[in-house]
Amino acid sequence: DTKDISAFEKYSNRSHSVEILRNNYLQRIHFAPKTVFLTQEMKDSVIWKVNRDSQTDKLRDFVDKARIISADIAYLEKLQSIGGPVTVLVQRADVWKGLSLLLTFLLNFLILYSWRANEDTKIVEPDTSRVSWYTPVFAVLAGLHILVSLCLVGSYFLRHPTFVNESLKSIPMLGTTQLANKVIKPSISRQTRHSLFSVGSLYHIVFLLFSILGVFYDGYFYGFHLLHVVAGNDILLRVMQSVTKNGKSLLYVAMLMVIVVYLYSLIAFAFIREDFEDDIGQWCDTSFNCFVTTLRWGILTGGGLGEALSLRGSEGKLGLRVILDISFFVIVTVVGLNVVFGIIVDTFSELRDEKYQIQAAMESECFICGIKNFEFEQRGNGFQRHIHEEHNMWNYVFYMIYLDNKDPTEFSSHEMFVSKILKDDVDVTSFFPLNHALALEQDTKNTESDEEDVNSRIQRLEQSMSEILELLRAGHNSSQNTNFGGTVVHV
């Protein structure tokens, strides 16, 4: 008995369940998947990037992403089966990130404490003679930094393998040519395919390269590694995305501003060259120098050209200077810069609102069935229990992985039904309990049975009352007849 109880508890701990819709009837399926290596990055790819235009679109995209996750998990399991250093690199990605940041901060603190400028301004090498222990400490920290950076980069490329096809496609111009279409063959694998020229891949290559260069160039390159605090930080990533998401719009606006500044530099070169002061770095002896000076001083100075340039040569040209200074200030400084800032701020607000909308949707409705949370609070077993036990979205991912790994000859009827739908890839959402939940249907049945029970009781009560009234009427009539007979006798 003890062994049976232990086996049951072990199965219960490993068991998961999903609800499927088959022939308009809800069915609960229990299954025991193997241990799955589901990373937070995989979860985020579903939660934050799934198409939420409609409940059907969301479930269809969810199935597509679950298939990709299944292929990625199979790849990670192969890496784990290798064992040794490969397993350590893959499983300890957060450790390498933490260690690299720790060493980076230590190196930069050492630089801030030890470096002094050389008297000769042409020498870039810092003077560290006043700190006797600087050289051995720097050598140890730099060596550890290279080793940890190598582990970090190795872990990244093991978890994000690059493919030749994807790398060729990502090359500007080449990826769309006919030659590339002949060379690049479509892949049948659903595994996430990364390019060697993607931002993540190039960043990690530069990360390792700068770690090595930091040893040979006095530690100057270690400042770059402080940017690694952005990785994995949701707030900082949104700040970066607010600039990069609408990068094309920002480039167009910047190009327009440069053109406008160039036009002003031509006017300045023709009419107000004498207002530029060479001794403070305002050169206008050539059109190029005049353009560079106008661009630098006009944008960096708060009041534009009017504040940057003197009025020493503007005798007789005061009207022209007023027009140029005010128009430059309004067009470039006020309008142009505020357009750039507005694009960045609006993009950041859009990203923030999008995140809040997704969070609100996750907290207010079930991802699988789309039913609002108050329905489960009023009629079911509670919303939290529903999304964690009854309609756990990750259980559906595990179930699809479970079907992929199971021998089709051992399928049950329900497993065969779901597997066929996924294989046909026509209406992959048809087995999902869209707008259905067993907890609500059972509550409805219980409510209906309670109503039927109450109605039957009322009917029985009415029947009993009718019988009692009949008995009372019969008793009353018999009492009247008895009294009438007694009166006749006495008379």
Side-chain angles (χ1 to χ4, degrees):
D1 293 340
T2 305
K3 292 182 179 180
D4 293 339
I5 295 174
S6 177
F8 175 77
E9 291 178 351
K10 183 177 180 181
Y11 178 80
S12 299
N13 294 332
R14 293 184 60 247
S15 177
H16 299 272
S17 67
V18 294
E19 293 179 6
I20 67 169
L21 188 66
R22 184 177 184 182
N23 299 328
N24 293 325
Y25 288 98
L26 279 178
Q27 308 286 342
R28 176 173 285 122
I29 300 175
H30 295 270
F31 64 102
K34 63 179 182 180
T35 303
V36 176
F37 192 72
L38 188 61
T39 64
Q40 187 61 42
E41 184 179 0
M42 295 176 183
K43 291 182 178 181
D44 290 341
S45 67
V46 176
I47 294 175
W48 304 111
K49 298 180 182 179
V50 71
N51 182 8
R52 296 177 179 268
D53 292 342
S54 67
Q55 184 65 19
T56 303
D57 292 336
K58 181 172 67 175
L59 292 177
R60 187 178 294 111
D61 195 25
F62 172 69
V63 172
D64 292 338
K65 293 185 182 302
R67 288 167 170 167
I68 296 174
I69 290 175
S70 177
D72 290 342
I73 289 175
Y75 167 76
L76 291 177
E77 288 176 348
K78 289 181 180 178
L79 288 181
Q80 285 187 321
S81 64
I82 297 175
V86 174
T87 302
V88 175
L89 287 176
V90 173
Q91 292 185 346
R92 299 291 184 267
D94 293 336
V95 175
W96 309 130
K97 176 188 173 183
L99 287 176
S100 67
L101 282 175
L102 175 61
L103 292 171
T104 298
F105 280 115
L106 291 176
L107 282 165
N108 283 277
F109 284 142
L110 181 63
I111 289 171
L112 289 174
Y113 178 78
S114 306
W115 282 15
R116 299 186 67 180
N118 277 289
E119 295 181 359
D120 187 353
T121 57
K122 295 181 179 180
I123 299 177
V124 297
E125 182 181 355
D127 179 14
T128 60
S129 58
R130 70 186 183 97
V131 182
S132 59
W133 45 267
Y134 172 82
T135 301
V137 172
F138 177 81
V140 171
L141 291 177
L144 290 174
H145 195 278
I146 294 176
L147 179 61
V148 173
S149 298
L150 185 62
C151 293
L152 177 67
V153 174
S155 174
Y156 176 83
F157 281 105
L158 283 174
R159 291 180 294 109
H160 305 83
T162 57
F163 295 85
V164 176
N165 289 356
E166 297 301 319
S167 300
L168 292 176
K169 288 180 182 178
S170 64
I171 298 176
M173 304 300 293
L174 177 61
T176 57
T177 60
Q178 294 182 355
L179 176 61
N181 293 331
K182 293 180 180 179
V183 175
I184 302 173
K185 297 180 180 179
S187 173
I188 60 175
S189 174
R190 295 184 181 273
Q191 182 182 344
T192 304
R193 310 182 70 80
H194 301 274
S195 168
L196 184 63
F197 305 105
S198 65
V199 175
S201 298
L202 291 176
Y203 167 76
H204 282 84
I205 292 174
V206 173
F207 190 94
L208 178 59
L209 179 62
F210 278 19
S211 178
I212 298 173
L213 292 176
V215 177
F216 300 100
Y217 290 92
D218 306 308
Y220 278 104
F221 286 92
Y222 289 126
F224 168 82
H225 297 89
L226 291 171
L227 296 175
H228 202 56
V229 297
V230 178
N233 189 304
D234 184 59
I235 297 177
L236 294 178
L237 283 175
R238 284 207 307 275
V239 172
M240 297 291 291
Q241 290 175 357
S242 65
V243 179
T244 58
K245 184 177 181 180
N246 288 327
K248 186 179 292 186
S249 300
L250 291 174
L251 286 176
Y252 285 149
V253 173
M255 181 177 65
L256 179 61
M257 289 181 62
V258 170
I259 292 174
V260 172
V261 171
Y262 173 69
L263 295 177
Y264 275 93
S265 71
L266 292 180
I267 297 174
F269 180 76
F271 300 105
I272 58 173
R273 287 196 302 271
E274 60 274 15
D275 292 344
F276 288 74
E277 301 180 35
D278 295 347
D279 54 341
I280 62 173
Q282 296 177 351
W283 298 287
C284 197
D285 53 334
T286 66
S287 61
F288 178 76
N289 287 343
C290 200
F291 167 66
V292 173
T293 301
T294 305
L295 182 65
R296 178 176 180 271
W297 287 82
I299 293 180
L300 295 182
T301 306
L305 283 179
E307 183 179 343
L309 301 181
S310 67
L311 295 173
R312 63 181 183 178
S314 297
E315 297 180 3
K317 303 177 183 178
L318 187 59
L320 177 62
R321 277 297 305 270
V322 170
I323 295 174
L324 286 176
D325 294 347
I326 294 178
S327 61
F328 187 94
F329 177 76
V330 172
I331 296 174
V332 177
T333 306
V334 176
V335 177
L337 294 179
N338 281 311
V339 168
V340 173
F341 297 150
I343 292 175
I344 296 174
V345 172
D346 288 345
T347 305
F348 182 80
S349 300
E350 179 185 345
L351 292 171
R352 181 188 58 193
D353 294 341
E354 182 181 348
K355 179 188 176 182
Y356 289 159
Q357 289 174 1
I358 294 174
Q359 286 180 335
M362 295 294 292
E363 295 172 358
S364 63
E365 67 181 26
C366 174
F367 185 92
I368 299 298
C369 64
I371 300 176
K372 299 297 182 180
N373 55 357
F374 62 83
E375 294 285 348
F376 299 99
E377 299 296 342
Q378 294 176 356
R379 299 163 48 200
N381 301 317
F383 182 68
Q384 292 301 319
R385 179 178 176 182
H386 175 73
I387 61 175
H388 288 102
E389 297 181 14
E390 299 166 354
H391 282 182
N392 188 320
M393 59 185 295
W394 306 118
N395 283 352
Y396 284 84
V397 176
F398 297 151
Y399 186 62
M400 284 184 266
I401 297 174
Y402 168 78
L403 294 179
D404 288 340
N405 296 327
K406 189 173 182 179
D407 187 351
T409 60
E410 299 179 358
F411 280 166
S412 66
S413 175
H414 292 321
E415 292 171 350
M416 181 69 73
F417 170 74
V418 175
S419 178
K420 186 176 185 304
I421 291 176
L422 294 174
K423 184 177 180 180
D424 292 342
D425 201 18
V426 177
D427 187 10
V428 293
T429 64
S430 59
F431 72 91
F432 282 94
L434 186 62
N435 296 323
H436 290 80
L438 273 177
L440 299 183
E441 293 193 358
Q442 289 175 353
D443 182 76
T444 302
K445 291 179 180 179
N446 293 335
T447 303
E448 292 175 352
S449 63
D450 291 341
E451 291 177 354
E452 292 176 357
D453 186 50
V454 171
N455 292 331
S456 63
R457 289 183 179 183
I458 292 174
Q459 291 177 357
R460 290 197 299 270
L461 182 60
E462 290 177 348
Q463 184 178 359
S464 300
M465 291 294 294
S466 300
E467 293 176 355
I468 292 173
L469 288 174
E470 290 295 333
L471 290 174
L472 290 174
R473 290 194 188 98
H476 180 69
N477 291 335
S478 63
S479 174
Q480 286 182 343
N481 292 335
T482 303
N483 292 334
F484 180 75
T487 303
V488 172
V489 170
H490 285 289
V491 171

